Amino acid sequence: MELRKLELVEVWMELKSPFQTSFGETRLRPGILVRVEERGGEEGWGEIVAGEGPWYSYETVWTAWHVVQDYIVPMLARAGELEARRFHEVVARIRGHHMAKAGIEEALWDLEARLASQPLYRYIGGARNYAVSGVSVGIKSSVEELLKAIASYLEQGYARVKIKIKPGWDIDIVARIREEYPDIPLQVDANAAYTLEDAEHLARLDEYNLLMIEQPLDYDDLVDHAELAKRLKTPICLDESIKGPRDAVRAYKLGSARVINIKPGRVGGIGPSLQIHDYWYGEKGLPVWIGGMLETGVGRGHLVALATLEGVKYPNDVSASDRYYWEDIVEPPWTLRDGRIQAPEKPGIGVEPVEERLRKVARKRRTFIF
Ligand code: OSB
Ligand code: MG
C-alpha cells in the first residue's frame, strides 16, 4: 500500500478515578491517536500511549509528537510502497521511541487488515476470538477503599485482579485481600519500586499464591531480576525491562523472568509483539499475556487482537471501556461478558472513533499529506 495521509490527534481523557502506581498518579490520560489513509481511501487507526511525563518510560506525548512529526513522517514520505511488517526497517535509524513508532505501526496493521477484509485478530493469527479480561487496580488511600474497588470489579466478572504495590503498600495489603478472597487469581505489579536488597521482604509474598510479581526491580534491569528469581517461588513477570524482541532473548538467557507482559506500545507495535510471542512462547514454551497503558478504545482494539494469540496463557490487562472512561471515543465501546472481551469480526480493530467525541477531548491536531 501507499500512504496518502497521516493524521495525529492528541487527546486528554479524564479517568473515572485516579490511577496510582509506584511511579505516580494519573487523572488525565493523554495519548495520540494516529489515522493513516492509503491512496484508495481506506484508513487505519493506532494509538501512541506515551504519558504526560517520563515516568513509566522516557517517552512523553511531547517527545512522541516531535519524533513522529520530525523523523517518522519524513521517512514514511520517502518510503513509497509500505507494508506493516516492514515498518521497522523504514524507521530503523531512529533509536528507541517505541511508543511513537508503535502508534504509527498499529495504524498500518489496522489499515492492512481492513484492505484484506479481515478482523485484525485473524490477520495476525489469533487462536481464539476473545481476550480474557483482568483488571489492574491502582494504589488507594486505604485498604478498605481497595477492597471495595476489588469487590466491584469481581462483581463485574473480571477474571483476575492485579494490584499495584510499592514499599509500605505490599505484604499486608496482599494478606488482607487473601483473607477476603482466598482463591481469586491475584498478582502484583511493583513498577520497579524495589531493589535486590528487598529480596527477603519480597519472598514473603510467596505464601499468598500469586500468579506472578511484575517488574519488582529497576525499569531497565535484567541481571538483578535473574538473581531475584532464584530467591522467590512466585514467578517473575517483566514489563518495563522488555523493550523489544532482543530483550526477550536476553531475559531468557539470563533467567530474568518466567512470564512477559507484552505491551505493543512499549515494544514498538504489533510486529515486535508477535516476534516476542513467537520467541517466548513459540520457541521456549513460556507464557505471555497482554498488558495495557489505560488506552482509549483505539489502542484497546490492538490489545484485544494480540490477546487472542495462542501463547497468551494468563488474563490480560485489557478491561472494558467503562473501567477507564465515562465515555470512550469509539463505537461500539469495549464491553465485558463472562470475564471476556469479544474480538470483533469486522475488518481491522473493528471499532471506529466518533468525530464529535474526539473533538471534545482533542487538544492538538495535525495532518500530513504525502
Ligand atoms: O505497569 O502495567 C503497568 C498503566 C499505565 C502504566 C503502566 C501500567 C499500567 C497498568 C494499567 O497496570 C493496565 C491497563 O491498561 O488496564
Ligand atoms: Mg506493569
Side-chain angles (χ1 to χ4, degrees):
M1 62 198 169
E2 237 181 291
L3 291 190
R4 169 160 90 185
K5 221 191 223 184
L6 186 150
E7 290 179 67
L8 299 179
V9 188
E10 185 185 296
V11 297
W12 289 76
M13 305 271 293
E14 193 192 340
L15 289 167
K16 281 170 93 169
S17 63
F19 188 71
Q20 199 187 321
T21 66
S22 63
F23 62 79
E25 188 185 77
T26 308
R27 287 162 187 272
L28 257 188
R29 174 78 175 111
I32 302 171
L33 301 178
V34 181
R35 179 181 177 277
V36 293
E37 189 182 312
E38 52 84 49
R39 301 259 174 231
E42 186 60 272
E43 63 173 13
W45 287 87
E47 178 168 342
I48 296 173
V49 297
E52 73 283 6
W55 322 132
Y56 170 82
S57 82
Y58 60 82
E59 291 188 82
T60 71
V61 269
W62 327 105
T63 68
W65 190 282
H66 159 57
V67 166
V68 172
Q69 168 183 277
D70 298 317
Y71 305 107
I72 297 180
V73 164
M75 286 172 181
L76 287 176
R78 287 192 299 268
E81 267 292 309
L82 203 59
E83 263 176 75
R85 252 178 216 287
R86 310 198 62 175
F87 169 79
H88 281 280
E89 293 169 26
V90 174
V91 297
R93 207 176 149 209
I94 304 169
R95 291 185 179 166
H97 295 280
H98 291 171
M99 292 176 179
K101 291 173 183 169
I104 314 289
E105 198 250 21
E106 287 179 359
L108 295 175
W109 279 94
D110 181 34
L111 170 55
E112 227 170 77
R114 292 190 205 209
L115 286 172
S117 302
Q118 277 191 51
L120 183 61
Y121 88 90
R122 285 184 197 271
Y123 192 68
I124 64 172
R128 59 183 88 90
N129 63 359
Y130 58 86
V132 180
S133 207
V135 63
S136 173
V137 189
I139 294 165
K140 304 285 184 188
S141 46
S142 68
V143 196
E144 291 71 37
E145 213 187 305
L146 177 70
L147 289 169
K148 221 166 78 186
I150 291 173
S152 147
Y153 290 129
L154 290 173
E155 200 169 307
Q156 291 166 51
Y158 284 101
R160 70 92 170 103
V161 171
K162 159 172 141 182
I163 65 154
K164 295 291 189 177
I165 58 167
K166 64 175 183 181
W169 182 271
D170 48 25
I171 318 288
D172 299 346
I173 306 296
V174 170
R176 268 301 277 126
I177 297 172
R178 273 295 181 230
E179 265 175 43
E180 212 77 27
Y181 305 104
D183 303 318
I184 54 163
L186 181 65
Q187 65 194 60
V188 294
D189 184 358
N191 287 108
Y194 298 89
T195 71
L196 204 44
E197 315 248 290
D198 301 310
E200 250 176 70
H201 178 72
L202 292 171
R204 291 176 57 203
L205 288 170
D206 281 345
E207 64 179 281
Y208 297 103
N209 187 28
L210 301 177
L211 294 172
M212 65 192 82
I213 174 169
E214 185 175 334
Q215 195 71 35
L217 309 181
D218 217 0
Y219 73 94
D220 59 355
D221 171 78
L222 292 172
V223 174
D224 284 357
H225 279 100
E227 183 59 38
L228 182 65
K230 292 186 212 144
R231 306 210 216 156
L232 296 189
K233 285 200 211 77
T234 309
I236 292 178
C237 169
L238 286 178
D239 174 354
E240 284 91 330
S241 288
I242 305 295
K243 293 166 187 80
R246 282 197 311 256
D247 283 332
V249 175
R250 294 178 186 121
Y252 180 79
K253 287 186 176 163
L254 289 167
S256 320
R258 207 191 129 64
V259 188
I260 294 181
N261 164 351
I262 300 179
K263 291 182 183 173
R266 194 190 65 231
V267 302
I270 301 290
S273 295
L274 296 174
Q275 277 177 271
I276 292 173
H277 166 272
D278 293 352
Y279 172 75
W280 199 256
Y281 173 72
E283 278 186 42
K284 301 303 176 190
L286 294 171
V288 301
W289 56 281
I290 307 303
M293 292 292 292
L294 313 173
E295 282 87 344
T296 74
V298 169
R300 198 154 301 283
H302 290 274
L303 302 182
V304 168
L306 285 170
T308 69
L309 295 173
E310 191 184 327
V312 172
K313 301 295 188 193
Y314 289 102
N316 306 281
D317 278 352
V318 182
S319 307
S321 293
D322 71 359
R323 178 258 174 269
Y324 308 94
Y325 303 108
W326 296 107
E327 180 180 64
D328 203 341
I329 51 166
V330 298
E331 254 330 301
W334 297 98
T335 55
L336 196 67
R337 230 189 62 202
D338 302 327
R340 295 173 174 183
I341 292 177
Q342 201 65 32
E345 291 300 333
K346 278 181 257 171
I349 56 174
V351 295
E352 303 285 341
V354 178
E355 177 55 32
E356 307 88 78
R357 295 190 202 160
L358 275 188
R359 241 180 267 140
K360 279 196 264 178
V361 291
R363 283 207 195 158
K364 196 170 160 191
R365 295 180 93 130
R366 180 154 180 199
T367 302
F368 304 88
I369 311 281
F370 294 110

